[in-house]
Amino acid sequence: MEFGALLLLTLLGLSFGEPGFVQRDYMNTLEWLRAKVEFINNLEDKLKIFDGWQSDVYALEARLNATVDELTRQKAEVDRLNKENQDMGMRLNATEEEIDKLKQSSAKDAPQIAFSACLSNSGEIYSGPSTDKTLVFKRIFSNTGGYDQSTGVFTAPVNGLYYFTFSTYGYNTHIAGAILMKNGVRQISTFDYTSDDSSDIGSNSAVLQLAAGDKVHMELWDNGRVYDNWNGHTTFSGFLVFPV
Ligand SMILES: *[C@@H]1O[C@H](CO)[C@@H](O)[C@H](O)[C@H]1NC(C)=O
Ligand SMILES: *[C@@H]1O[C@H](CO)[C@@H](O)[C@H](O)[C@H]1NC(C)=O
């Protein structure tokens, strides 16, 4: 380009009649052209820089896109975890509600029935033999319902399985022991016949199925005797295991 322009100007210069004028004009134009060429070269350099910038921008955009993709993926993951968390929270709430219900229903539906007593409530007593062989346990350790301390009879408040346990203590002068009766019928007992040793103990227990209203009490053998004092040798206890 530079060479072509010089050639053109040379030809133009030769066509002018006055050499002094032509020479001056030629020099100015040459300067001008040189400046233009330099300008264009500069432009080309700048364009190269600009191209470089453009590819930098492209690379940046690619990285930005990758970051956006990653963020989108992570947001989806966070959303999924949030959803999972919420689901688990709901399941946990449901479980807690269920447990509360169970707690309430077992507390409400299962009556709390238990009693425990021993024979003596004041000093030393013998009991029996007598015509009424029912043992009335008067010293009450606990009684949340069912046991009547004036008659010695436990009346089942609800249908259920009940655990009963008792122990008897007596001297060798009489049959020592007692019988656990359900609705007047013998169930289990302790028994020790008159013997040479001075005193005897025995204990027994059973789980009985009772209907509401069934009666359970302890009774002496014929000619039997049991003994108690503040040491609580002769006892009778029972409680509801579970309703049925
Ligand atoms: C960046 O993402 C936009 C929108 O999806 C797309 O048009 C552009 O071509 C992407 N750029 C690059 C460098 O991948
Ligand atoms: C679970 O129960 C709590 C307290 O009642 C409540 O704040 C929460 O929003 C519940 N969560 C769900 C997932 O239902």
Side-chain angles (χ1 to χ4, degrees):
M1 181 178 183
E2 208 172 348
F3 176 74
L6 280 174
L7 187 64
L8 179 67
L9 284 168
T10 310
L11 289 174
L12 280 172
L14 288 177
S15 67
F16 281 96
E18 200 185 332
F21 170 77
V22 170
Q23 189 66 21
R24 226 180 20 251
D25 197 49
Y26 167 76
M27 290 310 288
N28 283 346
T29 310
L30 200 59
E31 274 308 301
W32 180 83
L33 264 179
R34 278 205 178 111
K36 288 298 163 207
V37 166
E38 198 169 329
F39 177 74
I40 286 166
N41 282 345
N42 272 345
L43 265 187
E44 277 176 350
D45 287 349
K46 283 191 175 135
L47 210 58
K48 272 185 206 140
I49 292 171
F50 182 74
D51 280 349
W53 283 354
Q54 206 176 27
S55 67
D56 283 353
V57 167
Y58 185 84
L60 275 178
E61 189 181 298
R63 283 173 63 191
L64 185 64
N65 279 5
T67 309
V68 168
D69 287 351
E70 178 63 15
L71 278 179
T72 310
R73 200 188 59 73
Q74 286 189 8
K75 182 169 182 318
E77 180 66 6
V78 167
D79 285 351
R80 192 185 66 74
L81 287 175
N82 269 342
K83 171 90 174 56
E84 199 173 283
N85 201 20
Q86 202 177 12
D87 287 351
M88 293 208 334
M90 274 161 70
R91 283 174 58 194
L92 185 65
N93 279 7
T95 309
E96 280 175 350
E97 269 176 35
E98 197 61 28
I99 288 173
D100 278 352
K101 268 191 224 148
L102 282 175
K103 266 193 210 154
Q104 276 168 8
S105 68
S106 60
K108 195 170 61 209
D109 297 346
Q112 294 171 347
I113 301 164
F115 73 94
S116 189
C118 68
L119 206 54
S120 167
N121 66 357
S122 61
E124 297 191 357
I125 62 161
Y126 281 90
S127 195
S130 63
T131 41
D132 181 4
K133 293 180 290 181
T134 300
L135 289 172
V136 181
F137 295 81
K138 291 209 166 76
R139 182 175 163 206
I140 306 296
F141 298 115
S142 59
N143 183 15
T144 61
Y147 177 69
D148 184 340
Q149 68 190 87
S150 63
T151 62
V153 176
F154 172 80
T155 306
V158 295
N159 297 350
L161 288 181
Y162 291 80
Y163 179 82
F164 293 98
T165 184
F166 62 93
S167 66
T168 52
Y169 177 85
Y171 290 109
N172 61 356
T173 51
H174 293 79
I175 290 168
I179 310 156
L180 184 136
M181 310 288 287
K182 171 185 165 184
N183 294 333
V185 180
R186 277 181 196 174
Q187 306 294 311
I188 54 172
S189 64
T190 53
F191 183 90
D192 203 295
Y193 206 62
T194 54
S195 56
D196 290 341
D197 55 349
S198 64
S199 62
D200 298 299
I201 58 164
S203 68
N204 211 338
S205 56
V207 173
L208 300 182
Q209 180 157 0
L210 302 181
D214 280 353
K215 291 182 187 312
V216 173
H217 74 277
M218 298 298 307
E219 146 174 328
L220 288 171
W221 292 102
D222 290 340
N223 296 314
R225 225 180 218 188
V226 290
Y227 170 81
D228 200 13
N229 60 17
W230 275 111
N231 291 328
H233 297 296
T234 299
T235 64
F236 180 37
S237 305
F239 56 84
L240 175 68
V241 181
F242 53 83
V244 290

